[in-house]
Amino acid sequence: MTTMPTDPAPRALHGVPSYLDKNNLGPWEIYLEQVDRVTPYLGKLAYWAETLKRPKRILIVDVPIHLDDGTVAHFEGYRVQHNTSRGPAKGGVRFHQDVTLSEVMALSAWMTVKNAAVNLPYGGGKGGIRIDPRNYSQGELERLTRRYTTEIGLVIGPDKDIPAPDVNTNPQTMAWMMDTYSMNVGRTATGVVTGKPVQLGGSLGRADATGRGVFVTGAQALIKLGMPLEGAKIAVQGFGNVGYAAARIFQDHGAKIVAIQDVSGTIFSAGGLDPYAVQAHLQATGSVLNFEGSDALTKAEFWQVPCDVLIPAALEKQITVDNADQIQARVIVEGANGPTTPAADDILRGRGVTLVPDVLANAGGVTVSYFEWVQDFSSFFWTEDEINARLDRIMAEAFNSLWAVAERHGVTLRTAAYIVACTRVLEARALRGLYP
């Protein structure tokens, strides 16, 4: 093993990579600040801390496709592998018009932390294409997915980097990716992606896994705080796969959903909103607004809703210095990646709000993705009850472990998650050493 100095001397940082704007680092800046906050707790492993601040590999690709009107359009695609010290990279692919390299870098790094925090044998990866999928046909999106998969085929594989669904991608997207990769390598490789349809080697329980993990960790937080789950008031921002699943499962366990916000607007009802009915209304009308028995709120008013648990399950940078002091929830459970800025974290901690961080709260999805990957390799599949039981156990154990670390060091759950995760990643880095 590489010999490290007993007391590492301070070393100059290598600065901002040339491919980022030093005056506007975007989401990557949030991640870097989170690493800086945890470094003092890493002891001798701080010698390797710079490893965490540089992605292992970045691939930027041009994705040209024929549109339905006969023209050719070009889209910008990314695949970032942040760290593979503990295993192959793992992380989703998102289709969104505002995707940037900084965002994908940060998301890949958060995947590294997330996988290590729940002790999955993965590193962190992430991918994305700059496109608004609402403006394109199913055929165009299929051609986009297949071309993107071929372009990043150099770096993905069942034992190298395993994509999964993310914002605006779904099991059908993963089916196209799996088929394209399989055609290119000349064999069916079900393990190259997770989040696939069950008919193609997908796992039961995967669709609700992220939302279920949000519920499990949120329920554990309520237990620690001595707050009842029965009758707890829940506000949910984002009503996609994660927000909807979390809302359903909280309600199924006796909680009350009092506010829901999505891109179409915000609705509130002190008496409760049935997420099943809201979803049906959304599918029928294209909006959560005008749901029977609800009142419409402004986007800003959502953050002032009286509730016990707030679930941000949309995009990054939703809780900031502008609204953190208005939030009335006792508990925040981050269903989205990076929804809270570091400055907002400090405000919430000062107000006594317990925040369950994204790298723990939304790890249910990658945990069941791990189950899917294992099932694909073994060609032996588990029942949904078995999967849910394994998921609940892993998430609850991870939460209680991080809670103990937070109490021992007197830090937030986020810092505790980074202490545990970064220690595991850097221990692997130190044991492996540098090649050559």
Side-chain angles (χ1 to χ4, degrees):
M1 189 178 80
T2 301
T3 302
M4 295 182 293
T6 303
D7 183 17
R11 293 170 295 140
L13 301 183
H14 296 290
V16 176
S18 62
Y19 46 80
L20 292 183
D21 179 0
K22 65 180 180 180
N23 297 315
N24 182 18
L25 292 180
W28 184 246
E29 184 172 19
I30 295 176
Y31 166 73
L32 291 179
E33 185 169 342
Q34 291 166 343
V35 172
D36 287 340
R37 290 183 176 209
V38 77
T39 301
Y41 298 94
L42 298 179
K44 293 182 179 181
L45 290 171
Y47 175 83
W48 295 100
E50 287 296 301
T51 301
L52 300 169
K53 299 181 180 182
R54 281 153 184 79
K56 174 182 177 63
R57 183 177 292 115
I58 295 174
L59 182 61
I60 303 175
V61 296
D62 176 41
V63 188
I65 64 167
H66 287 290
L67 298 181
D68 292 343
D69 63 7
T71 61
V72 175
H74 292 254
F75 301 92
E76 193 171 309
Y78 307 98
R79 188 67 189 177
V80 177
Q81 295 168 354
H82 174 257
N83 188 283
T84 57
S85 293
R86 302 180 70 250
K90 186 80 185 75
V93 174
R94 61 176 50 186
F95 293 174
H96 196 276
Q97 62 273 17
D98 296 326
V99 165
T100 65
L101 177 58
S102 171
E103 178 185 51
V104 179
M105 287 171 58
L107 292 167
S108 72
W110 286 323
M111 285 302 302
T112 295
V113 176
K114 183 184 306 182
N115 287 320
V118 294
N119 210 18
L120 300 180
Y122 290 136
K126 207 73 175 186
I129 303 177
R130 285 179 66 86
I131 185 174
D132 186 344
R134 296 171 297 182
N135 298 331
Y136 296 88
S137 69
Q138 186 82 339
E140 290 168 332
L141 294 176
E142 179 178 355
R143 295 193 289 276
L144 179 86
T145 301
R146 290 184 180 276
R147 182 58 186 250
Y148 170 74
T149 303
T150 299
E151 295 293 345
I152 68 169
L154 296 167
V155 299
I156 64 172
D159 57 355
K160 295 195 295 185
D161 184 354
I162 307 105
D166 198 80
V167 176
N168 293 327
T169 57
N170 54 38
Q172 177 61 76
T173 315
M174 295 303 106
W176 291 330
M177 292 192 74
M178 187 273 283
D179 180 69
T180 303
Y181 179 86
S182 297
M183 295 298 290
N184 287 336
V185 300
R187 60 182 174 79
T188 298
T190 57
V192 68
V193 297
T194 58
K196 305 177 297 295
V198 172
Q199 299 92 324
L200 295 177
S203 178
L204 297 171
R206 177 60 181 86
D208 282 353
T210 306
R212 187 176 185 89
V214 168
F215 164 74
V216 172
T217 55
Q220 289 293 318
L222 293 176
I223 291 171
K224 292 292 187 184
L225 297 171
M227 299 171 61
L229 175 59
E230 183 77 28
K233 295 180 289 185
I234 317 292
V236 181
Q237 186 210 28
F239 205 56
N241 180 59
V242 178
Y244 174 50
R248 282 192 290 106
I249 299 170
F250 265 106
Q251 177 174 278
D252 291 346
H253 285 79
K256 180 190 299 184
I257 313 303
V258 295
I260 294 173
Q261 180 181 93
D262 75 349
V263 293
S264 65
T266 306
I267 55 175
F268 169 79
S269 173
L273 301 163
D274 180 359
Y276 295 92
V278 174
Q279 177 69 5
H281 174 79
L282 174 62
Q283 291 180 338
T285 67
S287 172
V288 299
L289 295 175
N290 301 314
F291 178 70
E292 185 177 356
S294 71
D295 296 318
L297 300 180
T298 67
K299 185 176 181 179
E301 287 173 334
F302 171 80
W303 303 107
Q304 303 166 21
V305 168
C307 61
D308 299 302
V309 179
L310 171 65
I311 302 172
L315 295 173
E316 304 91 33
K317 294 186 176 181
Q318 299 300 299
I319 301 176
T320 68
V321 293
D322 296 327
N323 58 20
D325 60 349
Q326 301 170 26
I327 291 172
Q328 299 187 43
R330 286 278 310 281
V331 178
I332 296 175
V333 188
E334 294 184 328
N337 291 307
T340 310
T341 66
D345 260 342
D346 294 337
I347 294 172
L348 294 168
R349 182 184 186 186
R351 298 181 59 224
V353 177
T354 296
L355 188 146
V356 184
D358 50 359
V359 292
L360 171 62
N362 66 29
V366 72
T367 301
V368 176
S369 279
Y370 168 61
F371 297 164
E372 180 178 332
W373 184 67
V374 169
Q375 291 171 89
D376 284 339
F377 271 117
S378 64
S379 297
F380 181 81
F381 292 85
W382 308 333
T383 67
E384 188 164 0
D385 286 343
E386 288 175 319
I387 287 164
N388 287 339
R390 292 171 189 261
L391 172 63
D392 292 355
R393 176 181 58 79
I394 288 175
M395 295 298 292
E397 288 178 354
F399 177 91
N400 287 310
S401 174
L402 297 185
W403 186 275
V405 172
E407 288 194 321
R408 183 162 67 250
H409 291 284
V411 297
T412 65
L413 282 173
R414 190 186 310 281
T415 300
Y418 274 73
I419 291 173
V420 171
C422 293
T423 296
R424 286 172 175 163
V425 171
L426 296 182
E427 282 177 342
R429 175 72 282 168
L431 287 166
R432 293 179 62 163
L434 293 179
Y435 173 85

